[in-house]
Amino acid sequence: MNLTIPFDPAIRILILAAVVFNVVLILTYAERKVLGHIQQRLGPMRTGFHGILQAPADAVKLMFKEDLTPNSADRLVYQLAPFLVFVPIFMMFITIPITATLVVQNLDLGLFYLVAFSSLHIVGLLMAGWGSNNKYALLGGARSAAQLISYELPLAFAVMGVVLLTGTLNLTTIVHNQALVPLIVLQPLGFVIFLITSLAEMGRTPFDIPMAESEVVGGPWVEYSGMRWAIFFLGEYASLFASCALIVVLYLGGWMVPFAGGLDPITSTVLGAAWFLSKTMLLVFFVFWLRGTLPRLRIDQLMAFAWKMLIPFSFLNLILTAWALVYGDELPSLLPFIHPAGSWLIVAGSVATVMFAYAVHRQTRRTA
Amino acid sequence: MTTPTTGFQTVDMHINVGPQHPATHGVFRMVLQVDGERIVDCDPYIGYLHRGFEKLSENEGWHDVIVHLDRTDYISQFNNELCYLLAIEKMLGVEAPERAQYARIILSELNRIVSHMMFYGAFGADVGAITPFLYAFRERERLQRLFESVSGARLMHFYFRAGGLKEDLPSGFEAEVRGMLPTIAAGLDECDRLLSQNEIFLSRTVGVGKFTAQEAIAYGCSGPVLRASGVAEDVRRSNPYSLYPTLDFEVPVGKQGDCFDRYWVRVQEMRESLKIVQQCLDRMPAEGSIRTPVPRYPFMRVEAGEIYFHTENPRGDYGVYIISKGGTEPYRMRLRSPSFSNLMALKPMLRNAYLADAVVILGSLDIVLGEVDR
Amino acid sequence: MIGVLRGLVQTWKTHWRKRVTVQYPDERLPLQPRYMGFPGLMWDAEHDEPFCTGCQVCMRHCPTQCMTVTMMDNPKFADGTSKRRKIIDYFSINQSRCIACSICVEVCNFEAIEMTHIFEKANYYPDVVVDLPDLLQMSADHRAHKDTMPSRETRDQL
């Protein structure tokens, strides 16, 4: 599959940087509006029509703010940390296909690459926590390391289900495999686990423990100001968008518009991108909605949830998928018009999802 | 665990929380000694908001004191005023007219709702949810506007006077409150739906910061903190004042004295307050005097003597101790502030809790620093 | 799980509801008639002089000692055009200390001071100490916009 964007990779990455920056601006504005409306407020209203210029205004303000380094900070570590958070997250965008043609670099090991890079920004957060020489920052850094590493496992195992089904790590091929049925139908449990772990990877409510304002006052970010802080911020929202886009790619069918075969390439690209972005934005809205509703978990509960709930169930998901792939075809189909293995996957996945929901329910009730 | 003889030795980390920390609800400072995320010990420091109110009162007229009382517990002003003025009235040997008494109770109970709403919002923010704060303030705002129409100020009302009220309730007050009660109840239900059954909220609060009834009594806790531990102690019942004996309401109690019970008791109390307001509205005479004549304000003297009077504030047992030498000002004036006593329970509650629980436990005590430091 | 879903339903419903906040400087909530802003001094149009005689009772009872009041002989009394023997000479209120408690209104024997509806005093060059002409102006402005006299109608009952 050849790329049709007529630029060489360096220029494509520059374009991507501009796009990511603008996406972050839109997301911050969207989050403030959604949260405002959830709380019966108006959200930003002053700058521009309904405050749409609020995000650029904030960006300009942050650029002109003084970049402070505490006297006792470990200068190099402190000043390097924001970039080590942002760059891995930015790198994730490189291989996320918006449509088959709108992708910076289609990698054969795309999924592997993504999972690897999605956990790399822990280093930056730890460095920020350590380099600030602040106890809140240190606690926040330690918390984020513990959280992200624990959630990396179920994330990877959930993704393995997709890899088993599609037989590839190439994201474009994965989407092409979903031309008929999005993988959420075949992998309901995988989807749920991936969604939860993605929330944790993004550090969003209810897993915003590293940055908890009421406990560690911003965690690793506490000492940062000006542009360095803005880069953290950029990283957080970029990671939010990247994770949501990844979910769309892996489980929700990517750009595959139903019943839209036979269009000319430009129309289908535009249509596909719009379809992809609208699905992503719906997921983003869901994340904001969760933020407007849920309290925060405690760190030990978070870890218990990862190790006692998510990891066993992600194993279960993997085993079920493998079993259905190997033995499913020898069994009679459970659902009409559906391939036997597929039907077994759907049924077993749904049952496992219900089991998972019940287990979570039990768990939370027991602690209650 | 044996301590390694060579190499690394671990020490507990001291974390300074406050006085500017967002979760300390004011200017309270605590130094937490933590082992990882677990709290080993806690040193609370108070006094950042000390304004010498008790001493100030000795140089100000009997009514000037009310202005300062508004500012002690700055979330439940009407309740503070009520306590002080009932004490003064007892010393003067006067009693407010019936209409004024009902008006006072209505305003005090609405103020209790305002105060508990503030708790609800702040507690929600403590456990990490951002929306409860705004929901609570939405309801609070309705009542604040009502208070503004009554007293002219949103917070520092200065409305109750010895022998009655400053001026009559504004026309249409009763109808307005009547119209507002269902709205508040509906808002309360919304707040309830948002948080009370949320599993994450439950797992953050249930079993956290447990305090037995014996401990609570030993530490001098009062109000919702004490009632959450299962002691049905309410000054409105045990030592009734004003018209409370004639009113029908329940005293909600908790079971195990954890953060959730303290939260739940307060939510229930808001409903009870709505009930009390409803009853008062039904019984309040539509017309009538609102003030028993007492000497005009700057010249008012109180006979020599002393009195301790306590009432049930939103935060607990609020008491004033006044000594008069017959002058136009109190000779001595002391407060028993419930926040202060409740705050003393923080240290035992925090032991062995997680760092994140410290915030929740502090929030569940619902302290007002203006009242702790006075 | 169920509690979380209930919470989500609640926030979803609220999301579509009418907003309760207003955009403050463009849109204002009405002040209540009894609203207590900063105190202002009233003008006796009949005698063309302030009501205030400078008796200092408000100054003495102010809980924050934010007032400075001095008294002088009233020149109009000598002319016979006024019945006030003494008149206010200098009156200033430090508005950064004023807590808008209305004690001054309550203790005033001449009903010369009132709580205006003025509360927006923030500007880039705050002039926190307000003296007599400004105080009179504040009250005049207040009266021009609102004919409400907080806490005055019931004064006789007190």
Side-chain angles (χ1 to χ4, degrees), chain B residues 62 65 69 79-95 104 161-163 241-242 300 302-303 305-311 318-324 332-335:
Chain B
W62 286 105
V65 175
L69 274 164
N79 289 282
N80 307 346
E81 294 181 13
L82 182 67
C83 178
Y84 172 73
L85 288 166
L86 287 172
I88 295 284
E89 282 171 12
K90 209 166 175 184
M91 288 182 100
L92 286 169
V94 299
E95 197 163 281
R104 283 177 180 186
R161 294 288 185 279
Y241 49 91
S242 194
M300 193 176 93
V302 172
E303 272 178 44
E306 58 181 69
I307 190 169
Y308 176 76
F309 198 89
H310 64 148
T311 59
Y318 188 90
V320 289
Y321 178 56
I322 305 168
I323 304 178
S324 169
R332 283 286 181 270
M333 164 99 194
R334 283 289 176 271
L335 280 185

Side-chain angles (χ1 to χ4, degrees), chain B residues 119-362:
Chain B
F119 161 80
Y120 171 86
F123 195 56
D126 283 342
V127 295
I130 43 180
T131 305
F133 199 78
L134 278 297
Y135 278 24
F137 266 61
R138 185 187 65 203
E139 303 309 320
R140 221 174 104 91
E141 188 59 32
R142 298 183 217 281
L143 290 169
Q144 296 283 19
R145 221 171 289 162
L146 180 80
F147 291 164
E148 187 189 328
S149 77
V150 170
S151 69
R154 288 164 52 85
L155 278 178
M156 306 305 170
H157 306 303
F158 189 42
Y159 183 62
F160 296 170
R161 294 288 185 279
L165 307 172
K166 178 181 170 188
E167 52 198 319
D168 203 348
L169 296 168
S171 59
F173 173 81
E174 286 92 335
E176 200 179 335
V177 179
R178 258 181 223 283
M180 206 179 270
L181 287 182
T183 326
I184 303 269
L188 198 50
D189 287 342
E190 269 177 24
C191 292
D192 220 4
R193 270 201 291 278
L194 183 62
L195 213 51
S196 298
Q197 293 176 6
N198 191 314
E199 279 83 1
I200 298 176
F201 176 74
L202 288 176
S203 61
R204 282 301 300 278
T205 51
V206 174
V208 171
K210 272 191 190 172
F211 222 43
T212 62
Q214 282 81 10
E215 280 175 307
I217 292 168
Y219 275 90
C221 296
S222 57
V225 178
L226 179 62
R227 286 196 283 278
S229 298
V231 186
E233 160 71 26
D234 188 322
V235 186
R236 291 175 293 177
R237 276 270 180 268
S238 61
N239 195 358
Y241 49 91
S242 194
L243 297 171
Y244 278 109
T246 64
L247 294 166
D248 171 40
F249 64 97
E250 272 161 36
V251 180
V253 289
K255 289 194 198 82
Q256 42 178 339
D258 53 13
C259 286
F260 180 76
D261 278 351
R262 291 194 273 277
Y263 161 85
W264 190 238
V265 162
R266 288 189 177 102
V267 172
Q268 298 294 92
E269 268 181 27
M270 285 195 259
R271 297 190 200 283
E272 295 302 321
S273 290
L274 285 176
K275 249 162 74 180
I276 295 174
V277 172
Q278 187 68 52
Q279 291 171 40
C280 288
L281 283 175
D282 292 342
R283 295 185 201 171
M284 184 163 78
E287 290 289 314
S289 161
I290 46 116
R291 192 154 179 185
T292 309
V294 290
R296 194 159 166 249
Y297 155 46
F299 312 110
M300 193 176 93
R301 282 167 193 279
V302 172
E303 272 178 44
E306 58 181 69
I307 190 169
Y308 176 76
F309 198 89
H310 64 148
T311 59
E312 184 69 22
N313 249 33
R315 256 151 282 282
D317 187 344
Y318 188 90
V320 289
Y321 178 56
I322 305 168
I323 304 178
S324 169
K325 292 263 167 139
T328 56
E329 58 209 20
Y331 177 70
R332 283 286 181 270
M333 164 99 194
R334 283 289 176 271
L335 280 185
R336 188 244 181 243
S337 62
S339 294
F340 179 76
S341 309
N342 290 348
L343 187 57
M344 292 306 110
L346 180 69
K347 199 169 172 172
M349 278 181 194
L350 279 188
R351 285 217 181 96
N352 270 329
Y354 283 94
L355 182 64
D357 289 339
V359 172
V360 177
I361 291 170
L362 184 63

